[in-house]
């Protein structure tokens, strides 16, 4: 059996209704994992789960607001009941709200802090409680947090987002250390995705034009590509395959690490 085979593993993917999260859920399912989509977008989330089932995977949807502790507790409990365990949690849910530092909107920053930082922290909390030896799943596992290349390089117009994604990096490392020292048996890593032309990525490019930082969205994208040694934007599959790797036994001796999947942009 390949060390990247996830047959028998049970995964929960937050923000899995669409975009990168849906791609990650699909990649985990292709690798053999049973997958639960956790999202506030019920219709889209159920559609993604239905699509996975139609392809032969075991999949389900649970309603999950990552900013609410009780919602996490319920979603993890439902996931364990549905799948018979929990081995993988992918904290992908996130929001990006562009803005210049000189025009910073406290409400926008609070929203990003709640979803990107608190939401990820609660995901790690409930993954630990479920997967550690005294938990209802109890077999250890892997947590993969989704940071961003914005945590590794300065980029204009996204100070709040970059700050929250930098926090995800630090949270990942502290959590990995705690898990190891307390014998939880849970590896914790993060991924730094580069720019991907999803709905969020397209909006970011458009924001760069509206903020006056680039003459057009196309020019902004062109400059991102120019900064990327591999000479292209990222694809959903690039990010999803990295998540599968970190969730698999191929990464069995990797914890507290950040994996850039950015074509070299952040090096």
């Amino acid at each position: 059996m390949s060390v990247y085979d996830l047959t028998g593993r049970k995964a929960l993917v937050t923000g899995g209704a669409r975009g990168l999260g849906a791609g990650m859920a699909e990649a985990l399912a292709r690798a053999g994992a049973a997958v639960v989509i956790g999202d506030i977008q019920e219709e889209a989330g159920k559609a993604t789960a239905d699509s996975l089932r139609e392809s032969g995977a075991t999949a389900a949807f649970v309603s999950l607001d990552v900013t609410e502790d009780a919602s996490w507790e319920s979603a993890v409990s439902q996931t364990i009941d549905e799948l018979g365990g929990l081995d993988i949690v992918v904290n992908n849910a996130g929001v990006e709200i562009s803005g210049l530092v000189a025009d910073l909107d406290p409400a926008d920053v609070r929203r990003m802090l709640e979803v990107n930082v608190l939401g990820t922290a609660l995901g790690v909390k409930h993954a630990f409680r479920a997967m550690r030896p005294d938990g209802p799943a109890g077999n250890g596992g892997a947590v993969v947090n989704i940071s961003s290349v914005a945590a590794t390089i300065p980029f204009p117009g996204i100070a709040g987002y970059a700050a929250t994604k930098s926090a995800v990096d630090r949270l990942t490392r502290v959590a990995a250390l705690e898990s190891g020292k307390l014998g939880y048996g849970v590896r914790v890593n993060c991924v730094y995705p580069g720019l991907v032309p999803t709905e969020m990525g397209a909006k970011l490019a458009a924001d760069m034009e509206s903020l006056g930082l680039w003459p057009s969205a196309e020019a902004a994208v062109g400059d991102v590509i120019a900064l990327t040694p591999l000479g292209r934007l990222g694809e959903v599959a690039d990010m999803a395959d990295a998540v599968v790797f970190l969730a698999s036994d191929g990464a069995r001796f990797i914890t507290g690490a950040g994996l850039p999947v950015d074509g070299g942009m952040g090096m």
Side-chain angles (χ1 to χ4, degrees):
M1 179 184 293
S2 167
V3 291
Y4 309 113
D5 186 345
L6 298 179
T7 299
R9 309 287 174 88
K10 291 93 174 179
L12 171 62
V13 180
T14 74
R18 59 180 183 165
L20 285 183
M24 292 166 186
E26 291 164 8
L28 289 165
R30 280 197 305 273
V35 181
V36 165
I37 305 292
D39 210 303
I40 57 174
Q41 299 183 67
E42 186 168 336
E43 186 175 338
K46 287 181 175 178
T48 298
D50 288 344
S51 175
L52 291 176
R53 283 195 297 271
E54 289 167 7
S55 70
T58 298
F61 170 81
V62 296
S63 179
L64 172 58
D65 179 345
V66 297
T67 69
E68 296 291 339
D69 200 39
S71 184
W72 264 108
E73 188 170 357
S74 174
V76 168
S77 177
Q78 289 180 67
T79 298
I80 293 171
D81 288 346
E82 180 76 29
L83 302 182
L86 182 63
D87 309 288
I88 300 164
V89 172
V90 180
N91 287 306
N92 164 75
V95 294
E96 189 280 317
I97 306 172
S98 303
L100 301 176
V101 174
D103 300 323
L104 185 146
D105 185 332
D108 289 343
V109 176
R110 288 192 187 99
R111 178 62 180 159
M112 288 186 284
L113 286 167
E114 283 202 345
V115 177
N116 300 350
V117 182
L118 178 60
T120 300
L122 290 175
V124 177
K125 168 188 174 177
H126 287 282
F128 279 178
R129 286 173 169 254
M131 294 192 278
R132 66 191 182 186
D134 63 348
N139 292 317
V143 173
V144 183
N145 298 325
I146 307 305
S147 180
S148 169
V149 68
T152 67
I153 62 169
F155 196 83
I158 57 170
Y161 180 72
T164 62
K165 289 302 188 176
S166 296
V168 169
D169 170 273
R170 294 296 98 184
L171 170 67
T172 296
R173 294 165 195 269
V174 173
L177 184 58
E178 288 186 8
S179 175
K181 291 184 79 67
L182 295 172
Y184 289 171
V186 181
R187 296 183 298 102
V188 189
N189 295 292
C190 69
V191 173
Y192 312 119
L195 183 64
V196 181
T198 59
E199 182 178 334
M200 181 184 287
K203 179 182 178 300
L204 175 61
D207 288 344
M208 295 304 100
E209 178 182 359
S210 64
L211 291 172
L213 292 165
W214 270 271
S216 67
E218 293 75 19
V221 170
D223 280 356
V224 167
I225 293 172
L227 289 169
T228 305
L230 290 186
R232 65 172 174 85
L233 296 179
E235 298 175 358
V236 172
D238 298 327
M239 314 307 153
D241 289 345
V243 168
V244 171
F245 164 65
L246 289 173
S248 76
D249 289 343
R252 60 191 172 274
F253 201 53
I254 300 174
T255 195
L259 178 62
V261 191
D262 60 4
M265 184 182 182
M267 69 176 174

